[in-house]
Amino acid sequence: MSGRGTAIALRIAQAIPVVIGVVVISFVLTRALPGDPAAQFAGIAATPESIEEVRRALGLDKPLLQQFFIYCAQLLQGDLGQSISTGRPVVSELAARLPASLELTLTALFVSCAISIPLGILAATRPGSWVDQLCRLLVTAGVSLPTFFTGIVLVYVFYYLLGIAPSPLGRLDFVYLEPPHVTGFFLIDSVIARDWETFGGTVKQLVLPATTMALFTLAPIARMTRAAMLSALSADFIRTARASGLSRRKVLYGYAFRNALLPVVTTLGMVFSFALGANVLVEKVFAWPGIGSYAVEALVVSDYAAVQGFVLAMALLFVFLNLVIDLAYSVIDPRFGTSAK
Amino acid sequence: MTTTRRNFLKTGAALSAMPFFMSLPASAAARDTVVVASGETINSLDLHRTGTNRASYEVAINCYDRLIRFGTKTTPEGGVSFDYSQIVPELAESWTTSEDGLVITFKLKPNAVFQDGTPVTAQDVKWSFDRAVSVGGFPTTQMKAGGLERPDQFAAVDDHTFTVTLDRPSKLSLPDLAVPVPFIINSKLAMEHATDKDPWAMEYLHQNTIGSGAYKVIRWDNGQQLVYERFDGWVGGLTPAVKRVVRREVPSAATKRALVERGDVQVAFGISDKDASELSGMLKVDSTPIANCVHALCLNTNFEPFTDPNVRKAIAWAVPYEDIFKTAAYGRGAPLWGGTEEITDTAWPRKSQYSTNLEKAKELMAASAYPDGFEVPLSIALDLAYWMEPAALLIQEAVGKLGIKTTIDKIPGANWRTASLVEKRLEFHLENFAGWLDTPDYYFFWAYQKGHLFNSSNYFNEEVEQLTNETLHMEMDDPEYAPKITRMFEIVLDELPRIPLWQPALNVAMNGADGYEFWFHRQLDVRTLTPVAS
């Protein structure tokens, strides 16, 4: 057990230089971006003097190194700075928007796993059958349809033509009140508040965007499941298991699937990270108040604090995610964390 | 039945007690609520704050009053637009200008109150104007345009009398008090929240509206929605018909269009030219051309071949105006080509005397110092690619026939302003400027005077300099005004530092609402909206 504990501690320790690197790089990169925030925020008809005034007010007249130390000192106090474009602390912006993005992404991933993993297994056990063809079709469609396109088509068909979907206006129709803030996830918060109508409203709003994201994330997971299952099923130990007369179920799920799960979990981690990135487009189509559209807007107006805060939050999220995946490995594969790792 | 928040709200008794209530879109037909979809985000409730974006001016317009505002008129297209020539009271009851034109005295409406019930006094006006000229950035620049530069120009004579003292008489001073910037703030309430570091209560006003305006913001979810609620004590104008206006942010144009077509939102503000032209048969669409705004093709005098008048005219005759207007603007807006050479009125923007005539263009090009053409990059802004890109492609093709080889250079939005307006280094580019104050001299001041921001062609003409300076503060009914202005038109349309292409439109689609008015600030004035059964 101590082997596992050490491995986790080691993983966390490895994350420290990554985070420091992210802080430095995000600071330097935002400054290296073309565009002058002082000119941007002084407005289009600004005079050189008023631009200088704004520059001083934003603290951008100081030497770069000094700006960096000020930023680091603030970071150590947990202060990500003030977003100039929204005039609110970056921390509170992220706290308000990250749950929205996570709720959407996690729901989408849950749906896509629920479909793609069984589909991948079925396709692998019956290669060449209609299930396999269906899997191939879904995978190709998922890869080739851009998310904003799927999003718009879904809105067109289910909202505009059929009228069964609610208006694509963010996380909740304005018929409902937001549930009291506990986690920021409306699904969870409304359950805590036992407000089933709001829960229903949240689900309704989630269906289309989550389906869009699920279609997009389905492809890599289904493919990886199929491939990993195929190679596991052709392995020697499966032949041995079959020869020993173990039941089909035991062979398939007890041995083949468990071995195939490692690459699937790895893919899942990767899919999660790029799904968060691809969220931006879905957020735009469904007016979803997520973190992606916030970051894009901040970038456009060179809002340094907001961009840095976003990059840092994402970095921490990925460090955490990698940790979770590594821990999942050790659950799936007992060899992890021992000499065999 | 247990009392949950929702059925508590459903009783309706809670309406006045709750900050925000529920209105089903379907039942909204009998409604006192109008839902507006807009693509742009509101990032502050205070126009004076550094970093406040253009979309946020809407809050200053709807939640605060100015002393005066412009009247309205019916447009040739059948819509309603602001009328620059007419100034009507908002918080001021009356005003007089002294003989020498240096002192303007305003009498405030005696019954005017702020939304917290305190009366509006001249001290509040003074504090608000002081704030506008002191905070720096855009508000201060805009105040300067009207000759309002220092706090000592403003005085509260008594509770209801307020004076503005000018350094020189100017026809721009009074109109400049009707733009969104000099809005009147409840100074007593603001001072309670002011600190030594923040004497103008910027932090408080960023999150709160404390004016005397027709609406107050009762809910603001950054990046999602803003909810206005009517203030029934408003004395600035006719009581608005709509009790609540919900402004939802919808970034995707396709979604915005679907929402207004289905009637789930009543107003889609700022839709694209394409959507406007396609929706105009089905819904009520208003496409008023933007006042004092010209989309122009600019020829920089820094670039040697463009100093040749024959080259400039050749390009002006080669541009495929009609095609550009149809492809880039879907025909929304007003054409600015094919006019007469003789200038008899002072209306601006005006049609130039040029139209597409390739033969004429080729003759002029052959007569120039560059009969074989030259190479030049044609620059456009990525932010504005929706109109600049199709326009640039058509221009590229047309001038190619004159032997002018162009490559299209797409410049990211963050760099565009610096490259085009500050450094003025783009040889051949597309540009647009719109003046809030709707007079030709104001346009010339920004776009044709040497060194001024929007003169991205580095144009300099001594006569234009002088005429602009003379007309800028001159009354428009002065007998010398019209001849001077027509002379200015003549010169710049002959010398062509900027080739006018078309006057763009602001498109608004309505389904279940009416009463939209076009305003020079290009934001939605929700005070005039009315619900209609759809």
Side-chain angles (χ1 to χ4, degrees), chain A residues 25-334:
Chain A
I25 292 173
S26 69
F27 181 87
V28 175
L29 271 188
T30 46
R31 263 65 181 181
L33 282 177
D36 179 357
Q40 179 80 36
F41 289 109
I44 192 102
T47 55
E49 299 89 69
S50 65
I51 293 177
E52 274 318 301
E53 251 168 52
V54 172
R55 199 184 305 282
R56 230 171 301 126
L58 301 180
L60 296 172
D61 55 334
K62 300 195 179 76
L64 213 56
L65 206 63
Q66 197 183 340
Q67 285 182 41
F68 181 68
F69 285 128
I70 293 174
Y71 173 61
C72 289
Q74 284 177 338
L75 261 190
L76 289 177
Q77 295 164 5
D79 179 7
L80 291 177
Q82 191 92 0
S83 160
I84 326 163
S85 61
T86 61
R88 303 203 312 168
V90 174
V91 177
S92 64
E93 292 282 350
L94 293 180
R97 283 165 173 270
L98 195 57
S101 286
L102 284 179
E103 187 169 48
L104 173 59
T105 312
L106 290 174
T107 313
L109 273 184
F110 182 77
V111 172
S112 85
C113 282
I115 298 171
S116 63
I117 293 180
L119 194 68
I121 295 173
L122 279 175
T125 47
R126 298 174 181 78
S129 71
W130 66 270
V131 183
D132 197 16
Q133 300 300 342
L134 177 73
C135 178
R136 190 164 299 145
L137 180 82
L138 264 178
V139 164
T140 319
V143 169
S144 51
L145 291 173
T147 45
F148 69 90
F149 176 74
T150 342
I152 289 175
V153 168
L154 289 180
V155 169
Y156 182 68
V157 175
F158 292 100
Y159 168 68
Y160 182 79
L161 288 183
L162 301 177
I164 44 179
S167 37
L169 276 175
R171 302 178 76 185
L172 265 184
D173 198 342
F174 35 91
V175 182
Y176 304 96
L177 283 171
E178 274 178 28
H181 186 96
V182 183
T183 56
F185 290 78
F186 283 4
L187 286 176
I188 299 173
D189 286 356
S190 57
V191 170
I192 292 174
R194 310 211 174 280
D195 184 350
W196 305 113
E197 281 184 72
T198 304
F199 181 80
T202 312
V203 172
K204 267 197 264 170
Q205 291 295 118
L206 256 173
V207 170
L208 286 193
T211 310
T212 313
M213 288 301 292
L215 277 176
F216 174 66
T217 50
L218 206 129
I221 303 174
R223 261 166 69 144
M224 193 42 83
T225 313
R226 181 178 177 273
M229 277 305 276
L230 274 178
S231 71
L233 283 171
S234 59
D236 290 348
F237 62 88
I238 294 295
R239 200 175 49 186
T240 313
R242 280 192 180 135
S244 311
L246 288 178
S247 72
R248 187 179 148 79
R249 170 180 286 270
K250 181 76 185 162
V251 171
L252 203 58
Y253 297 103
Y255 293 103
F257 183 59
R258 192 152 178 203
N259 273 287
L261 214 56
L262 272 185
V264 173
V265 169
T266 317
T267 318
L268 206 61
M270 272 162 48
V271 168
F272 179 75
S273 52
F274 75 65
L276 262 182
N279 246 342
V280 181
L281 297 167
V282 181
E283 284 171 13
K284 292 271 182 215
V285 172
F286 294 95
W288 201 264
I291 198 166
S293 41
Y294 174 66
V296 169
E297 261 149 45
L299 255 182
V300 168
V301 297
S302 319
D303 190 348
Y304 290 163
V307 176
Q308 282 161 214
F310 168 76
V311 174
L312 193 65
M314 284 313 208
L316 290 178
L317 195 66
F318 288 143
V319 167
F320 174 72
L321 187 75
N322 277 328
L323 192 68
V324 170
I325 288 173
D326 283 355
L327 288 181
Y329 283 168
S330 69
V331 173
I332 298 164
D333 188 345

Side-chain angles (χ1 to χ4, degrees), chain B residues 294-300 306 315 319-321 324 328 377-382 384-396 408-411 416-417 419-421 426-433 443 454 456-457 497-502:
Chain B
V294 179
H295 278 348
L297 174 63
C298 297
L299 313 174
N300 200 323
F306 289 154
I315 295 173
V319 172
Y321 298 96
I324 294 176
L378 173 54
S379 306
I380 61 170
L382 264 183
L384 303 172
Y386 69 93
W387 72 269
M388 285 191 173
E389 193 160 22
L393 287 169
L394 288 164
I395 292 166
Q396 181 184 41
I408 293 178
D409 197 359
K410 294 178 196 168
I411 299 183
W416 176 256
R417 185 185 180 277
S420 70
L421 303 180
L426 305 178
E427 294 91 351
F428 195 33
H429 61 278
L430 290 165
E431 212 274 309
N432 109 301
F433 167 65
Y443 188 96
F454 293 92
S456 53
S457 314
R498 312 160 71 85
I499 300 171
L501 299 175
W502 81 93

